[in-house]
Amino acid sequence: MEFPTIPAKSIVYKTKAADQWFGLDYNMNIYRGCSHGCIYCDSRSDCYQNPDFDTVYVKENTLQIIRNDLRRKAKKGVIGSGAMSDPYNPIEAKLSLTRNALELINAFGFGVSLTTKSALIARDTDVLADVADHSPVIAKFSITAADDKLCKIIEPNVSPTSKRLEALQTLANAGIFCGVLIVPVLPFITDNEENIIQILRRAKEVGAKFAYSYMGMTLRNGNREYFYDKLDKSLPGISEKYTKRYGYRYNIPSPNYKRLWTIYEQECNRLGLLHDMKAIIYNYKAGYNKQQTLF
């Protein structure tokens, strides 16, 4: 089996501000790049210096490096994966490096937080359930469009939304703490009441415990040009709306931000979905640390 590789000295890194982003203590990226093809992905930005982002590279000696990293950690904690590259890139179906890394995480007594757009995560339900026996586990499914057809346009190589929700249900049925990230929300494309409510309701139906969102997106040099080019080919006329309204801004809030946020909060409350970061962290870690107190 042939695939591109890159060297690495370490893979599991200590995070900053662990109480701000899902309570992570460490970050782990096994792959570099992503082949999901999401047209809005911030990781295409020039600042990350990864011009061939669509090519997935595997870090050399991945499992040995992770084993050594975990052995050296003096403090147990939650290891996050999915920040810069989806841990369930299509290549993972053949290599199983994420699965093997989860087995190491389990053996060394750490917790895990996964973010993905792939239904492949359901394959590892057994390992995640084993980790949950001793440490916190949270699975976050990134969902942008409730409609599979729109999903295919803006996220051409991901598992369709319907399949991601099926995977969420599989994990939830096994007792894994799951939820959805409605991030980004694309102005003039997915920033409408029907899309937001459908995602929340369908997620709740299959066992989601939480939702987390920001009613907008970000655009920087590199990903801005790529995004506009893809819009011009698949959704003509929308890129002009972006340039007219936002220019070269980094933060791109939906024009409907306030109204959508109110609808989002009200629907989360009605469905019983956690949507405050501190509450989400508290609840998925509840029971694993007797010293933990409510934020």
Side-chain angles (χ1 to χ4, degrees):
M1 184 185 303
E2 296 184 2
F3 47 85
T5 62
I6 54 173
K9 294 182 179 180
S10 182
I11 294 177
V12 183
Y13 290 93
K14 181 69 178 174
T15 62
K16 299 178 181 179
D19 62 334
Q20 292 185 11
W21 186 251
F22 291 98
L24 303 184
D25 300 289
Y26 305 96
N27 259 322
M28 174 184 74
N29 283 298
I30 292 172
Y31 301 106
R32 178 182 176 181
C34 184
S35 60
H36 280 158
C38 302
I39 67 174
Y40 50 75
C41 185
D42 177 73
S43 295
R44 296 181 187 279
S45 300
D46 293 343
C47 62
Y48 297 118
Q49 300 180 346
N50 190 8
D52 56 344
F53 178 72
D54 292 290
T55 300
V56 178
Y57 291 83
V58 178
K59 295 180 181 177
E60 296 172 355
N61 303 313
T62 295
L63 298 178
Q64 184 59 53
I65 292 173
I66 292 174
R67 183 181 291 107
N68 292 339
D69 284 346
L70 296 178
R71 186 180 291 120
R72 288 193 291 263
K73 303 302 180 188
K75 180 182 177 182
K76 304 296 183 186
V78 176
I79 300 172
S81 188
M84 293 297 294
S85 179
D86 197 309
Y88 291 97
N89 262 283
I91 196 173
E92 168 64 18
K94 297 180 178 180
L95 300 184
S96 293
L97 290 177
T98 294
R99 180 178 176 84
N100 294 152
L102 292 175
E103 291 171 339
L104 288 172
I105 287 170
N106 181 38
F108 279 88
F110 287 78
V112 66
S113 168
L114 296 172
T115 303
T116 187
K117 291 180 180 291
S118 174
L120 182 59
I121 188 176
R123 178 201 64 185
D124 298 337
T125 302
D126 58 333
V127 184
L128 293 172
D130 285 346
V131 175
D133 283 341
H134 56 74
S135 300
V137 175
I138 183 171
K140 307 182 291 293
F141 288 81
S142 177
I143 297 179
T144 307
D147 178 68
D148 281 354
K149 291 182 180 180
L150 179 56
C151 167
K152 185 66 176 178
I153 293 173
I154 61 178
E155 304 164 339
N157 304 321
V158 305
S159 299
T161 297
S162 57
K163 294 298 182 183
R164 274 175 268 173
L165 290 170
E166 288 177 9
L168 192 159
Q169 185 171 30
T170 298
L171 266 64
N173 287 345
I176 306 301
F177 193 93
C178 299
V180 293
L181 303 181
I182 310 177
V183 179
V185 173
L186 307 177
F188 314 116
I189 303 172
T190 65
D191 63 334
N192 58 79
E193 179 178 347
E194 180 182 5
N195 184 58
I196 301 300
I197 288 181
Q198 275 197 41
I199 293 174
L200 292 174
R201 291 179 181 176
R202 291 170 64 187
K204 177 65 177 181
E205 287 174 0
V206 296
K209 301 291 187 184
F210 70 91
Y212 192 77
S213 185
Y214 162 67
M215 297 301 162
M217 64 182 300
T218 60
L219 285 175
R220 291 189 264 210
N221 291 341
N223 80 309
R224 180 186 293 107
E225 292 77 7
Y226 185 91
F227 180 56
Y228 288 171
D229 178 66
K230 293 299 182 181
L231 286 181
D232 289 341
K233 293 175 180 177
S234 57
L235 298 169
I238 293 184
S239 66
E240 286 85 351
K241 293 184 179 181
Y242 277 83
T243 55
K244 182 178 181 180
R245 184 177 182 91
Y246 302 110
Y248 287 88
R249 289 170 58 181
Y250 168 63
N251 287 307
I252 311 295
S254 165
N256 304 316
Y257 185 100
K258 292 183 178 180
R259 184 178 68 84
L260 282 179
W261 188 259
T262 298
I263 291 169
Y264 166 77
E265 284 194 315
Q266 290 176 344
E267 191 66 11
C268 283
N269 290 334
R270 189 186 71 81
L271 295 171
L273 288 170
L274 300 168
H275 58 280
D276 174 76
M277 178 64 73
K278 291 182 178 180
I280 295 169
I281 295 170
Y282 174 80
N283 278 272
Y284 94 85
K285 290 187 174 183
Y288 293 101
N289 184 352
K290 295 181 179 179
Q291 300 303 314
Q292 189 174 2
T293 58
L294 183 60
F295 292 84

